[in-house]
Amino acid sequence: MHDLLTKADIIVLVDSFYERVKEDAVIGPIFLERIASDSWDKHMSTMYRFWNSVLFGSADYRGNPFSHHIDLGIEAAHFERWTILFESTLRSLFAGPNVEEALMKAQNMRMMFEAKLAAIRSNPNIKPIL
């Protein structure tokens, strides 16, 4: 196995991860309900750009990923399952320092999303700034 090094590696990771997501009993239904069958190509393209930006500092992605998660009704169990699937997919495909960096960034993203969702849910009269 080699380290996660290129955008081509990102594509392999994202494709493999979402195949697992679609089949997962915990988070699969959320994705399958939210993303229409004819919209998966667009979603995947966005995810390639997003992870390329997060992991390699490219300027491919422009957007606010958190805004797409506010109204999904996701809870700690969903974040936990997403993290498990992401890590197991990543480790099954790659090995090296960039893998560890990717896992750290994914974990940080999870904590930030969970904290923001908790703040929004505990203050229903405050509209979040996105």
Side-chain angles (χ1 to χ4, degrees), residues 20-59:
R20 291 180 180 196
V21 164
K22 288 177 186 179
E23 296 174 2
D24 188 75
V26 176
I27 64 174
I30 293 169
F31 283 88
L32 294 171
E33 181 179 305
R34 181 69 171 226
I35 303 169
S37 60
D38 62 348
S39 297
W40 274 97
D41 287 344
K42 180 181 177 190
H43 177 72
M44 298 303 284
S45 178
T46 300
M47 292 297 94
Y48 303 149
R49 291 189 318 274
F50 173 76
W51 283 107
N52 196 41
S53 295
V54 168
L55 300 178
F56 299 136
S58 75

Side-chain angles (χ1 to χ4, degrees), residues 3-120:
D3 203 357
L4 184 65
L5 299 170
T6 66
K7 187 169 183 180
D9 292 339
I10 295 285
I11 292 169
V12 169
L13 170 62
V14 170
D15 286 349
S16 298
F17 173 69
Y18 277 98
E19 285 305 312
R20 291 180 180 196
V21 164
K22 288 177 186 179
E23 296 174 2
D24 188 75
V26 176
I27 64 174
I30 293 169
F31 283 88
L32 294 171
E33 181 179 305
R34 181 69 171 226
I35 303 169
S37 60
D38 62 348
S39 297
W40 274 97
D41 287 344
K42 180 181 177 190
H43 177 72
M44 298 303 284
S45 178
T46 300
M47 292 297 94
Y48 303 149
R49 291 189 318 274
F50 173 76
W51 283 107
N52 196 41
S53 295
V54 168
L55 300 178
F56 299 136
S58 75
D60 286 357
Y61 178 80
R62 301 233 188 270
N64 181 343
F66 179 73
S67 66
H68 301 288
H69 294 79
I70 291 174
D71 63 346
L72 293 180
I74 50 180
E75 303 290 340
H78 299 110
F79 284 106
E80 180 65 22
R81 188 64 187 152
W82 181 92
T83 303
I84 289 168
L85 288 176
F86 187 80
E87 180 173 0
S88 65
T89 303
L90 187 56
R91 290 195 186 282
S92 74
L93 297 168
F94 305 99
N98 288 345
V99 168
E100 302 311 314
E101 179 80 11
L103 292 172
M104 182 193 69
K105 288 181 178 185
Q107 192 65 265
N108 288 342
M109 196 177 319
R110 171 192 174 174
M111 289 186 298
M112 185 262 307
F113 274 38
E114 283 185 299
K116 282 185 171 186
L117 285 173
I120 290 167

